Amino acid sequence: MDIKSHVKRNESLAREELEQLRTETDPEKIYLGLQRYIRLRYLLEDDPYWNDDIAAFTRYSIKKTLEQSDDPAKLSDLGVNCAGSSSETTKHLLLLISLRKGLDIDLDPEKAACTATVRELAALLSAALLKAHR
């Protein structure tokens, strides 16, 4: 599967993951769903590597995406999405934006940007989802 097809397939699967997360209230299930969502958005759904540190996992995903691409120049054609980001910070911010929009929740931008781990981000999402359910 080429990179564009992989991105398109994973975007669809990631939307399905968000639909499940939208109604979830259990913090551990939110964490596991977020983990699946990130793996899909970062094109690492089948990769055994995991690091709860968002920055470390983001760096790894960029490295792997470049390795898997037969022509890294093609990545620039992917547009603004988590798979085509050119830097760790941009990719992290795009992830936060996709979660906020996809779950239709309010996230404090400063708190969200300061989350260092997926578990911290899951706790923030859990609180926002709980608030949205009220």
Side-chain angles (χ1 to χ4, degrees):
M1 173 180 343
D2 70 1
I3 190 85
K4 286 186 179 183
S5 299
H6 192 180
V7 169
K8 188 173 183 171
R9 179 187 69 111
N10 280 30
E11 284 177 345
S12 177
L13 293 171
R15 278 191 299 275
E16 291 174 19
E17 194 64 50
L18 286 181
E19 285 304 313
Q20 291 178 356
L21 278 174
R22 199 177 281 205
T23 59
E24 190 55 66
T25 56
D26 181 296
E28 187 62 20
K29 288 182 180 177
I30 290 171
Y31 168 73
L32 294 172
L34 177 58
Q35 191 179 51
R36 285 189 298 273
Y37 178 79
I38 291 171
R39 285 183 170 285
L40 286 165
R41 290 305 305 238
Y42 283 15
L43 305 179
L44 295 171
E45 67 279 5
D46 295 328
D47 193 302
Y49 175 81
W50 177 254
N51 192 324
D52 213 49
D53 180 282
I54 296 170
F57 195 70
T58 301
R59 283 190 302 274
Y60 178 81
S61 75
I62 292 168
K63 177 181 157 240
K64 292 302 280 188
T65 301
L66 289 172
E67 286 173 2
Q68 293 170 359
S69 175
D70 57 337
D71 180 5
K74 288 181 183 177
L75 294 177
S76 64
D77 295 335
L78 291 176
V80 178
N81 62 56
C82 286
S85 302
S86 61
S87 73
E88 175 187 330
T89 301
T90 301
K91 196 164 186 170
H92 185 173
L93 292 174
L94 289 170
L95 173 66
L96 296 174
I97 291 166
S98 71
L99 287 165
R100 184 183 57 77
K101 287 182 177 181
L103 293 171
D104 193 28
I105 56 174
D106 289 324
L107 284 178
D108 179 308
E110 189 174 323
K111 284 182 182 176
C114 290
T115 54
T117 67
V118 175
R119 191 151 307 268
E120 289 173 2
L121 180 56
L124 197 64
L125 290 179
S126 184
L129 287 166
L130 187 60
K131 186 177 179 181
H133 289 150
R134 291 183 190 164

